[in-house]
Amino acid sequence: MSTLSATNKARQTVLGYPVDIVDEPLALEIVESAWRSGKRLQIVTLNAEMVVAAQQDRELDRIIRHAHLIIPDGAGIVWALRLAGQSVERLAGIDLAAAALARAAAAGRRVALVGGKPDVLDRLVGLLPRMHPGLNVVASRDGYFSSDEEEAVVEALSKAEPELLLVALGVPKQEYFIDRWQTAFPKAVIAGVGGSFDVWAGASRRAPLIMRRLHLEWLYRLVTEPWRWKRIGSALPNFFWQVVREFVSRRRKSQAPDRSREG
Ligand code: UDP
């Protein structure tokens, strides 16, 4: 039995992509269970933009489908699941990663970090043990290395035998990286965490709590980081219409008269 199926509540789909209906305690239980059994656990934090990107990117498509734990990170994913009748709350990747760091610190588990600008990572390596007393950061590397350097970077990280590996290279770079090198980390819980290092190091800010509660973190990011319009601007409406189309077509099918009973 896989680590996930031992504890998983339910796996649903959004536009054909798997999503696990997990809240933070359950996701942490899955993380702890992977640590106890010494198995690798790959976590994907799914959002609408990723789904649309994966529809045009076979690699990303495969990586998402093969992840062990796929959390409902994006407001669009939660909206689509709720439209389909699921009761689900958003679980932001950055929150799960912070909670996993806290658990790792409490249990003295080895943590490795890869990604972020050199100064951000430096600051983070100093700050994280203050945020999570007892945290054991065994290896770290900024995210600005060349493809020629990549193997050596992975070797150094792998030698430290991390049990938690956070990869902050942005989507889809971090997903490709994790997929390429996963076997070098056979006992690690591995997650792509996007811009989390910037937030933790104070280089960027998260949306105010009220916006997060209203599921508007994406809007805050669009306003404060306007360059995201190019990336997100077409992906979000595309996702929205696909979900609505799927919903309408499902409803039509379920409301169609059952012709097998006629006559
Ligand atoms: N980054 C990196 N190496 C790269 C490109 C990006 O380490 O080659 C880092 C960047 O410094 C930032 C993070 O990846 O900390 C991407 O953050 P973003 O918020 O854009 O993530 P996403 O929205 O893709 O989840």
Side-chain angles (χ1 to χ4, degrees), residues 34-52:
W35 279 336
R36 278 195 303 273
S37 58
K39 285 189 184 160
R40 185 176 61 242
L41 180 83
Q42 276 167 254
I43 304 175
V44 159
T45 64
L46 196 68
N47 61 37
E49 196 192 338
M50 265 174 105
V51 165
V52 173

Side-chain angles (χ1 to χ4, degrees), residues 173-248:
K173 201 171 177 181
Q174 62 198 20
E175 280 70 30
Y176 296 153
F177 179 90
I178 293 169
D179 183 62
R180 217 168 20 249
W181 301 108
Q182 46 168 316
T183 53
F185 305 98
K187 293 182 178 177
V189 170
I190 314 174
V193 294
S196 303
F197 290 4
D198 297 315
V199 173
W200 292 333
S204 75
R205 290 169 74 117
R206 263 189 104 180
L209 201 58
I210 181 75
M211 287 191 88
R212 281 186 246 161
R213 291 221 170 110
L214 292 170
H215 287 196
L216 290 175
E217 194 156 15
W218 59 275
L219 183 62
Y220 178 85
R221 293 195 87 181
L222 268 186
V223 173
T224 54
E225 299 166 13
W227 56 268
R228 288 186 187 275
W229 272 109
K230 200 164 154 241
R231 240 168 68 175
I232 299 180
S234 67
L236 289 188
N238 182 341
F239 178 83
F240 175 82
W241 285 117
Q242 286 193 63
V243 172
V244 168
R245 256 203 324 266
E246 188 181 75
F247 174 72
V248 170

Side-chain angles (χ1 to χ4, degrees), residues 48-262:
E49 196 192 338
M50 265 174 105
V51 165
V52 173
Q55 288 176 327
Q56 284 134 36
D57 178 340
R58 290 176 70 170
E59 276 298 282
L60 188 58
D61 177 288
R62 177 184 59 76
I63 293 167
I64 294 172
R65 291 178 193 282
H66 282 86
H68 302 113
L69 176 62
I70 303 149
I71 66 166
D73 167 85
I77 298 293
V78 170
W79 165 75
L81 286 166
R82 287 183 178 171
L83 195 65
Q86 293 297 320
S87 156
V88 59
E89 291 297 326
R90 180 172 176 238
L91 175 54
I94 186 169
D95 291 329
L96 178 59
L101 282 170
R103 292 285 178 100
R109 300 210 178 262
R110 292 184 301 278
V111 174
L113 311 168
V114 55
K117 297 203 177 92
D119 60 317
V120 168
L121 187 76
D122 268 359
R123 224 176 318 148
L124 190 64
V125 170
L127 275 172
L128 272 186
R130 274 187 261 159
M131 293 158 79
H132 304 285
L135 192 74
N136 184 16
V137 180
V138 290
S140 62
R141 172 68 205 237
D142 69 76
Y144 293 85
F145 46 84
S146 68
S147 47
D148 289 343
E149 291 172 288
E150 190 163 295
E151 203 168 331
V153 168
V154 171
E155 204 180 312
L157 292 168
S158 160
K159 260 195 189 144
E161 298 185 356
E163 295 162 285
L164 177 63
L165 173 63
L166 300 182
V167 185
L169 300 172
V171 177
K173 201 171 177 181
Q174 62 198 20
E175 280 70 30
Y176 296 153
F177 179 90
I178 293 169
D179 183 62
R180 217 168 20 249
W181 301 108
Q182 46 168 316
T183 53
F185 305 98
K187 293 182 178 177
V189 170
I190 314 174
V193 294
S196 303
F197 290 4
D198 297 315
V199 173
W200 292 333
S204 75
R205 290 169 74 117
R206 263 189 104 180
L209 201 58
I210 181 75
M211 287 191 88
R212 281 186 246 161
R213 291 221 170 110
L214 292 170
H215 287 196
L216 290 175
E217 194 156 15
W218 59 275
L219 183 62
Y220 178 85
R221 293 195 87 181
L222 268 186
V223 173
T224 54
E225 299 166 13
W227 56 268
R228 288 186 187 275
W229 272 109
K230 200 164 154 241
R231 240 168 68 175
I232 299 180
S234 67
L236 289 188
N238 182 341
F239 178 83
F240 175 82
W241 285 117
Q242 286 193 63
V243 172
V244 168
R245 256 203 324 266
E246 188 181 75
F247 174 72
V248 170
S249 114
R250 270 204 198 142
R251 260 183 95 101
R252 280 211 187 112
K253 271 185 205 146
S254 69
Q255 284 172 352
D258 186 352
R259 301 207 182 275
S260 63
R261 290 188 192 176
E262 284 175 10

